[in-house]
Amino acid sequence: MAFTDDAVLAKLSALNETQESIVTVAQWVLFHKRHAERTAQLWFQRLKDSGANKKLNLMYLANEVVQQSKARRKDDFLIAFSPVIAEASATAYRGATNEVQQKLRRVVEVWRQRQIFEQPIQVAIEARIDDYDKSRSSGKKSLLGSSIFSSVGSSTPAEIQPLVPLQLAVSKIATTKATSAANANQEYEKLTDPTAAAPTPPVHAARLSGLLKSLASAEGAVAESIKARRALIEGLEKILDHNRSSLKQEETQHAALTEHKTAIETKKREVEDGIMRGLAEEPTPPLHGSPGAEDGMPSTHDATSAEPEGPPVEDLSSPSVEALTPTGTPPPPSATEAGVAEEQPASPPPLATAAGAPAPAPGSDLLSSLSVMQSLPSGSSTIANGTATVAKKRKLNDVGGLGGVQDESDAMEGLDDDVAEMLRRESGSYR
């Protein structure tokens, strides 16, 4: 279907509250994006002439169109609906039931959350709805207790708050201006169309009179819009001038801080270099006992770091032989005597004594040898015969090395039984 005013009005009249109907009409409108401005004007005119439920459906249609345009990054319909959306929202909100008003508030809240319109347009929409609630409640709280858009105004910076009413005025006048200018232009094209049939002079005069009124109304609306926009631009220029002045001051301050920072960094490096040079030039004192210490140079070890001297330690020395030799032990043989003793064959000592001496009792030589072995250190025995001393290394567990005695029974021959038994007991005690 080609785009015409009648086609647009037919689509809007056939619109119902179903999702399918809203999406179908929205797709047709988006297809004719070249006529976005004219579509927005016809939509707004149809909304003002509709009932409460029909107005809600038309708001749903506008919501679908602008959100699809935002998603596709096509600003044609966003620009076209921006001048009339605030007034249209207020028109749909006025006289609607509480249920319809809640739905409309939900639509406006979605626009705010998804940032469909620019911030001034969004503020204007919410302000128009809040103003109607305030005027209807006559000072009482609204049905929601407070405006759901109150957080937007509170989050506006203080510098921009003077611009809010200016922007609201521009948005409000822009809606009226757009409608008046569109109607005036449409009537002007009809009357000046060369292909149209010329009406009778009285009818022509009446149409021209009506066109003059329309043009005058549109002219006044445009003049008001220009005035409001100039006031808004003046407020914006004040903010710009203030920010430009603040920017120059901050740039000067930034340059001064950068200069101070560079100077301090240079001074810090100089101080650190001086510290490093001082450490490098400082002489290292010698240790204790070095030649420098003998010449009177300072020592690296002061009184606090010197280690205390330890207790005196006696020299380790082996004990004397006399201290380890049992009492009554004959002195050890000299090296010459030891050599002579080693050269002599090992033989039992003679049993004979000097002339005139009484002969020893049988077995007495064995008893004396055992007594000598008891007094000697472990591992050696000494046998004396009156004139010579022979040193022999013995094993205590070797029973065959005592005086050359090979068998104990041979040594006990000729002895009394009691004496032999006594000797055996003593011999057993030393083993």
Side-chain angles (χ1 to χ4, degrees):
M1 181 183 294
F3 181 88
T4 60
D5 292 354
D6 294 337
V8 174
L9 293 175
K11 289 287 184 182
L12 297 179
S13 299
L15 183 68
N16 55 50
E17 60 184 1
T18 62
Q19 182 71 18
E20 182 180 0
S21 176
I22 294 173
V23 172
T24 302
V25 176
Q27 293 297 327
W28 185 87
V29 171
L30 290 170
F31 179 76
H32 298 282
K33 61 181 180 180
R34 292 181 300 173
H35 308 281
E37 183 176 358
R38 183 58 181 168
T39 302
Q41 294 173 2
L42 294 173
W43 171 85
F44 182 45
Q45 187 65 37
R46 184 70 178 86
L47 185 140
K48 291 190 295 182
D49 298 337
S50 302
N53 292 331
K54 188 67 175 181
K55 290 178 181 178
L56 179 62
N57 296 336
L58 291 172
M59 289 296 295
Y60 283 157
L61 175 63
N63 174 64
E64 181 70 18
V65 171
V66 296
Q67 290 209 46
Q68 289 294 331
S69 299
K70 187 75 171 181
R72 298 177 184 181
R73 297 182 180 180
K74 303 295 183 181
D75 298 336
D76 304 82
F77 286 96
L78 291 173
I79 297 173
F81 276 95
S82 293
V84 298
I85 193 64
E87 182 65 24
S89 300
T91 302
Y93 192 81
R94 284 194 298 266
T97 62
N98 184 36
E99 182 181 359
V100 174
Q101 289 180 349
Q102 297 301 320
K103 292 179 179 179
L104 290 173
R105 279 186 173 273
R106 175 57 183 165
V107 172
V108 176
E109 184 180 359
V110 170
W111 292 346
R112 175 171 57 85
Q113 292 175 353
R114 299 182 182 180
Q115 299 179 355
I116 301 299
F117 295 100
E118 294 181 358
Q119 183 67 18
I121 302 300
Q122 184 69 34
V123 171
I125 297 171
E126 297 168 1
R128 297 295 295 274
I129 294 176
D130 289 339
D131 290 342
Y132 177 77
D133 286 338
K134 292 177 181 178
S135 63
R136 186 183 61 175
S137 60
S138 301
K140 297 180 181 180
K141 293 184 179 180
S142 61
L143 296 176
L144 295 179
S146 61
S147 174
I148 62 174
F149 313 119
S150 58
S151 59
V152 178
S154 61
S155 62
T156 304
E159 295 81 4
I160 304 179
Q161 287 181 359
L163 299 178
V164 174
L166 298 177
Q167 180 62 52
L168 292 176
V170 170
S171 301
K172 183 178 180 179
I173 297 173
T175 304
T176 307
K177 178 217 46 170
T179 305
S180 301
N183 294 333
N185 291 329
Q186 186 177 4
E187 292 178 8
Y188 176 81
E189 290 176 358
K190 289 181 179 180
L191 289 177
T192 58
D193 187 6
T195 60
T200 60
V203 174
H204 194 198
R207 290 180 180 178
L208 290 176
S209 177
L211 178 58
L212 286 175
K213 293 181 180 179
S214 297
L215 290 174
S217 177
E219 182 184 9
V222 173
E224 290 293 330
S225 178
I226 293 173
K227 182 179 179 181
R229 203 170 296 276
R230 284 177 178 174
L232 177 61
I233 292 174
E234 183 180 356
L236 292 172
E237 287 179 348
K238 290 181 180 179
I239 294 179
L240 288 175
D241 294 339
H242 175 71
N243 283 275
R244 288 192 183 100
S245 177
S246 300
L247 178 61
K248 291 181 180 179
Q249 294 178 0
E250 290 173 355
E251 289 177 348
T252 304
Q253 186 179 10
H254 181 267
L257 292 174
T258 303
E259 183 180 357
H260 295 341
K261 178 184 175 183
T262 304
I264 293 301
E265 288 178 351
T266 304
K267 186 174 182 180
K268 176 176 174 290
R269 285 194 297 268
E270 293 177 355
V271 173
E272 291 177 349
D273 293 343
I275 294 174
M276 298 304 296
R277 286 194 299 268
L279 294 176
E281 295 175 359
E282 184 178 353
T284 303
L287 300 175
H288 289 292
S290 62
E294 295 177 357
D295 296 340
M297 295 180 64
S299 175
T300 56
H301 299 279
D302 51 8
T304 58
S305 61
E307 297 182 358
E309 298 181 358
V313 180
E314 297 181 357
D315 296 335
L316 297 178
S317 59
S318 59
S320 59
V321 178
E322 290 79 0
L324 299 178
T325 305
T327 305
T329 302
S334 62
T336 304
E337 294 176 354
V340 173
E342 290 178 358
E343 293 178 358
Q344 293 180 359
S347 60
L351 300 177
T353 58
S364 61
D365 55 349
L366 179 60
L367 182 61
S368 62
S369 64
L370 293 175
S371 300
V372 172
M373 289 178 61
Q374 181 180 4
S375 62
L376 291 178
S378 176
S380 64
S381 62
T382 305
I383 302 175
N385 55 3
T387 59
T389 303
V390 181
K392 294 287 185 177
K393 292 183 179 181
R394 305 285 186 179
K395 292 184 179 180
L396 297 179
N397 57 357
D398 189 3
V399 297
L402 296 177
V405 180
Q406 302 296 328
D407 192 1
E408 186 178 356
S409 60
D410 296 339
M412 297 301 177
E413 290 181 358
L415 297 178
D416 186 49
D417 294 339
D418 295 335
V419 174
E421 182 66 19
M422 180 184 63
L423 292 175
R424 289 191 186 95
R425 292 177 181 176
E426 291 181 357
S427 175
S429 63
Y430 288 106
R431 293 184 181 181

